[in-house]
Amino acid sequence: GAVVSQHPSRVICKSGTSVKIECRSLDFQATTMFWYRQFPKKSLMLMATSNEGSKATYEQGVEKDKFLINHASLTLSTLTVTSAHPEDSSFYICSARDHPGQSSGNTIYFGEGSWLTVV
Amino acid sequence: GEDVEQSLFLSVREGDSSVINCTYTDSSSTYLYWYKQEPGAGLQLLTYIFSNMDMKQDQRLTVLLNKKDKHLSLRIADTQTGDSAIYFCAFTSGTYKYIFGTGTRLKVLA
């Protein structure tokens, strides 16, 4: 089946630095990718919708300048947490939608998630 | 906005059936999903149901949908210790924007 891979799976960074998380669709082209954040013992909250070749659409309350999203190709979207603070520590999950017309049929696939710890 | 509620915890004995419930407010939901999340891992799609269906069975899993009451449930037959995880219901109305429930932490006792 279709696979979405995230990297790194775990990252620790110092407060004030930036960290990049990658989301790749391994065997299909993803026109749209989604970034979620999961707080401890909470549900997933959609942060932004990323469309290949255009600017991401952010959900209300999500800081665009802090969470930079780039979707430069049909198989890669990146989330960069800029000037990270301890409160940014969380589990970030991406998902990808395949390109219309491909055999996987417009299904959403989730990555394995990335743990970010800001110290 | 949409509201999706789940019980936070469920504890069952191995071999018993588990029933995880989900209630929602958005009547325009067209696709309804159940996802499983094991500790520190991403989401695994377990099953899904279209809004024009009442029931779907897939091996040990049975999904029931009551559109009138806006209630979705997932029944796991013969629950095993490997079923211990967090279970999320999720909805979309066709825009691929998923709305997730609060998650139910299932603990299976040996």
Side-chain angles (χ1 to χ4, degrees):
Chain A
V3 176
V4 174
S5 177
Q6 274 184 247
H7 178 79
S9 57
R10 292 183 180 273
V11 58
I12 300 173
C13 71
K14 290 185 177 179
S15 189
T17 62
S18 295
V19 61
K20 181 187 287 186
I21 300 170
E22 295 185 345
C23 178
R24 293 181 185 273
S25 55
L26 297 186
D27 52 3
F28 67 100
Q29 293 180 327
T31 52
T32 307
M33 290 185 171
F34 304 86
W35 286 96
Y36 292 83
R37 180 175 179 177
Q38 185 178 28
F39 294 93
K41 299 183 181 180
K42 297 285 187 182
S43 187
L44 288 83
M45 302 301 296
L46 179 64
M47 297 174 66
T49 302
S50 161
N51 294 297
E52 185 266 337
S54 63
K55 289 184 179 179
T57 303
Y58 290 80
E59 295 298 302
Q60 192 172 8
V62 178
E63 298 176 62
K64 301 178 184 181
D65 295 332
K66 181 161 189 63
F67 298 100
L68 300 179
I69 292 172
N70 184 296
H71 193 159
S73 76
L74 283 172
T75 59
L76 174 65
S77 176
T78 60
L79 167 67
T80 301
V81 182
T82 63
S83 187
H85 288 102
E87 56 264 32
D88 298 327
S89 299
S90 193
F91 190 54
Y92 294 87
I93 303 179
C94 71
S95 65
R97 176 171 78 94
D98 67 338
H99 191 280
Q102 291 189 67
S103 60
S104 47
N106 288 338
T107 304
I108 298 281
Y109 302 95
F110 283 85
E112 316 96 322
S114 300
W115 281 105
L116 169 62
T117 302
V118 183
V119 296
Chain B
E2 302 90 343
D3 210 10
V4 185
E5 297 284 337
Q6 293 180 241
S7 300
L8 288 180
F9 300 100
L10 176 65
S11 182
V12 299
R13 293 198 178 278
E14 193 174 18
D16 288 350
S17 292
S18 307
V19 179
I20 302 170
N21 296 302
C22 176
T23 57
Y24 59 97
T25 57
D26 184 4
S27 58
S28 67
S29 301
T30 52
Y31 300 89
L32 305 100
Y33 305 86
W34 282 104
Y35 282 88
K36 177 183 180 182
Q37 184 183 34
E38 299 190 48
L43 300 180
Q44 174 194 354
L45 177 63
L46 290 178
T47 186
Y48 63 92
I49 190 169
F50 296 118
S51 60
N52 61 357
M53 298 167 65
D54 297 324
M55 187 186 83
K56 181 178 180 181
Q57 187 154 0
D58 185 359
Q59 298 182 345
R60 292 193 297 126
L61 305 178
T62 303
V63 179
L64 294 177
L65 174 62
N66 182 328
K67 287 187 70 177
K68 176 176 173 289
D69 295 337
K70 296 179 185 173
H71 183 264
L72 180 74
S73 68
L74 173 70
R75 179 176 180 271
I76 305 173
D78 186 25
T79 313
Q80 303 297 308
T81 54
D83 295 325
S84 293
I86 302 175
Y87 290 81
F88 292 96
C89 59
F91 304 84
T92 181
S93 54
T95 63
Y96 298 100
K97 179 178 176 179
Y98 278 42
I99 305 298
F100 283 88
T102 46
T104 298
R105 189 177 294 269
L106 174 65
K107 184 174 182 180
V108 182
L109 306 172

